[in-house]
Amino acid sequence: MLRKPVARIDVLALKHNLARVREVAAGCKVLAVLKANAYGHGMLKVAEQLQQADAFGVARLDEALALRAGGIVKPIVLLEGFFDADELPQIVASNLQVVVHQQEQIDAILAAELDAPIRVWLKMDTGMHRLGLPPEHYQAAYQALSQSPNCVPGIRLMSHFACADDLECPDTTEQLQRFSRWSQGLSGEISLANSAAVLGWPQSHGSWVRPGLMLYGVSPLLGKQGDEHGLQPVMTLRSRVIAVRDVAAGETVGYGSAWQAQQATRLAVVAIGYGDGYPRNVPNGTPVLMQGRRFPIVGRVSMDMLTVDIGDAIIKPGEQVVLWGQGLPVEEIAALVGTIPYELLCNITPRVDFVYEGGD
Ligand SMILES: *Cc1c(COP(=O)(O)O)cnc(C)c1O
């Protein structure tokens, strides 16, 4: 029995979550977002199992090329587009689609000599102020690209929300209004919604939704968990107990002697640490799951290990420990650490083994 961390990927849950997207955003096409190694779940494996998606989205060219090299033939959209005209031949050769969000890209497309036209998703900055054309330049950009033989006819219209995770925030409505005002009269399929907007802002669904996080079974909405939306966690991160030991009242545990036993305490030492991507800054008391029960982490998380107060439970070396996933939502751990579940999932390091269960 390997006493090391394993990320179990539940492929049936992944497919269930995609079906859930289709239920919530009925009639929409689904661009499944696979950037950052499919949020830490393994990009190629996830792509192979999401045959029901209409297209895939990645941030960068190397991610898209890795999918193509792995035999993925579905449409792939580069969500950050391209940065230099010399990437265009590769984009054409690999049949990739691009988000166009700044004037330099438009100039490059108009000036290029290409073997085949490229499918463009034209992005408007409606308030995120990260990528996207200023709204007042949008119509002109659309006209210029529509007239270019280098663009596949039917430019897609897109934008991205800053605060869709907060259902109380008025910014999303403002962004929606800005989008419809400045794209008025333009024909083309519309794509605005990330996971939070898929779940929280049905009026934003348009023709294409772009879910990432919710495919992995995790809630993007503040204070919510995936099961509240009918989602199932895809990754269960687990490891094993490698030692059980007693400490006396007054003894301290771990680096910095950061935790002191108030009474005689039995501890389990678990083979996972920040070197595997488990966050170092979890507070004392953060739960792990053993035998279906919660036990609190005590002391600092180190690179390869952490320590858990097991009370009077009968736990032996080799016992399985769940750090997050089924039975222990990653949303909860993220909240305890003061971050978002996206970060925890992406931070899993290559030292962790991946096991795919339930796939084709
Ligand atoms: C990452 C990303 C998404 C997916 O966001 P989630 O919050 O994970 O659903 C959608 N659209 C764009 C442009 C993105 O960069």
Side-chain angles (χ1 to χ4, degrees), residues 158-235:
M158 75 175 282
S159 189
H160 193 60
F161 295 120
C163 308
D165 57 330
D166 180 357
L167 300 180
E168 308 298 317
C169 180
D171 295 10
T172 305
T173 310
E174 281 167 29
Q175 285 193 261
L176 269 170
Q177 284 165 353
R178 206 167 288 134
F179 181 81
S180 39
R181 168 159 173 238
W182 291 96
S183 64
Q184 206 171 16
L186 303 182
S187 66
E189 295 178 347
I190 291 172
S191 178
L192 305 171
N194 58 2
S195 298
V198 169
L199 292 167
W201 302 88
Q203 62 277 49
S204 75
H205 286 174
S207 344
W208 284 85
V209 291
R210 304 192 306 266
L213 192 69
M214 73 180 287
L215 290 173
Y216 308 104
V218 178
S219 176
L221 300 184
L222 293 176
K224 299 254 184 208
Q225 293 177 351
D227 60 352
E228 295 174 67
H229 314 297
L231 301 171
Q232 298 170 0
V234 175
M235 181 195 295

